Amino acid sequence: MKIVGTDAPEVERALTAGKLACPGCAGRLRPWGHARVRVVRHRDEEERRRPRRSQCGRCALTHVLLPEDCLLRRRDAVAVIGAALTAKAAGHGHRRIAHDFGRLAATVRNWLRRFAIAAVTIRSFFTVLAHDLDPMLGPLSPAPSDFADAVEAIASAAWAAVGRLGPRPPWSFASACSGGRLLSNTSCPYPGAA
Ligand SMILES: [Zn+2]
């Protein structure tokens, strides 16, 4: 799996031109058919997508290209999940968030738990990133919890990235920076800033 931008024609051009790097080695990806159709759930509607697959010309592994408005193995768009995380950071409980977003309480609780487990790592990674992107940025003000600190650090880094690189939805930025693994348990969730 490789995280890519949300502009499908641009991604296709880059893929065809051999400009996408393999996430596992120094090789270049080339087109390799499509993955199965998947449903992406936005806040109020569903979208059917058929993600592009690619194969590395060097290690021969195949990688599905996942647009950065999603996360690995999550049906809900990262903007929806991010809004839920922001609501939790503001003090809302998972049942209320689930009700407000029209999602199952168990689904929302799972997002919040996964994020909470990695909150300290996430806070640390995005705080460093925010200061790398904006050296003039002052210290981030501490929030009431590690969870809220982590959400704040993502917001600060995303805001700094907009100032440096141009407009981009903050949670898409967070997905790209985490390689789509913002809610995943992995020893190395952050391959680097995208
Ligand atoms: Zn490779």
Side-chain angles (χ1 to χ4, degrees), residues 22 25 56 59:
C22 173
C25 79
C56 176
C59 70

Side-chain angles (χ1 to χ4, degrees), residues 6 26 33 41 53 63 66 74 77 91 94 103 145 159 163 166 184:
T6 52
R41 301 201 300 179
R53 286 174 82 216
H63 298 281
L66 181 72
R74 302 283 161 180
H94 77 272
R103 299 303 198 262
S145 64
W159 184 246
S184 303

Side-chain angles (χ1 to χ4, degrees), residues 2-48:
K2 178 182 172 67
I3 285 277
V4 294
T6 52
D7 183 337
E10 189 184 309
V11 169
E12 189 66 25
R13 272 194 297 277
L15 179 63
T16 308
K19 288 182 175 168
L20 295 185
C22 173
C25 79
R28 297 279 137 187
L29 300 177
R30 61 192 180 198
W32 194 255
H34 290 81
R36 282 178 302 158
V37 170
R38 55 174 288 181
V39 174
V40 178
R41 301 201 300 179
H42 299 284
R43 178 79 186 244
D44 297 314
E45 80 235 346
E46 295 192 340
E47 179 194 352
R48 291 170 66 81

Side-chain angles (χ1 to χ4, degrees), residues 20-183:
L20 295 185
C22 173
C25 79
R28 297 279 137 187
L29 300 177
R30 61 192 180 198
W32 194 255
H34 290 81
R36 282 178 302 158
V37 170
R38 55 174 288 181
V39 174
V40 178
R41 301 201 300 179
H42 299 284
R43 178 79 186 244
D44 297 314
E45 80 235 346
E46 295 192 340
E47 179 194 352
R48 291 170 66 81
R49 284 188 190 167
R50 191 135 188 251
R52 195 69 158 108
R53 286 174 82 216
S54 65
Q55 186 182 40
C56 176
R58 185 163 150 180
C59 70
L61 290 179
T62 59
H63 298 281
V64 171
L65 304 185
L66 181 72
E68 66 183 22
D69 61 353
C70 290
L71 292 174
L72 185 63
R73 290 193 282 276
R74 302 283 161 180
R75 290 177 66 202
D76 291 277
V78 70
V80 176
I81 293 172
L85 298 174
T86 304
K88 169 67 177 177
H92 296 177
H94 77 272
R95 285 196 183 82
R96 172 165 170 194
I97 298 168
H99 177 264
D100 289 348
F101 285 61
R103 299 303 198 262
L104 294 174
T107 302
V108 173
R109 190 175 55 209
N110 180 274
W111 300 341
L112 303 184
R113 277 190 182 160
R114 290 295 189 116
F115 189 82
I117 289 167
V120 172
T121 305
I122 291 169
R123 175 184 62 190
S124 156
F125 174 82
F126 282 96
T127 299
V128 170
L129 183 56
H131 287 97
D132 283 350
L133 288 164
D134 180 4
M136 303 297 285
L137 184 70
L140 306 187
S141 41
S145 64
D146 289 337
F147 190 108
D149 274 337
V151 170
E152 174 66 23
I154 288 173
S156 297
W159 184 246
V162 168
R164 185 88 169 258
L165 307 166
R168 189 176 189 183
W171 291 100
S172 290
F173 169 81
S175 173
C177 290
S178 68
R181 292 175 167 83
L182 195 64
L183 299 184

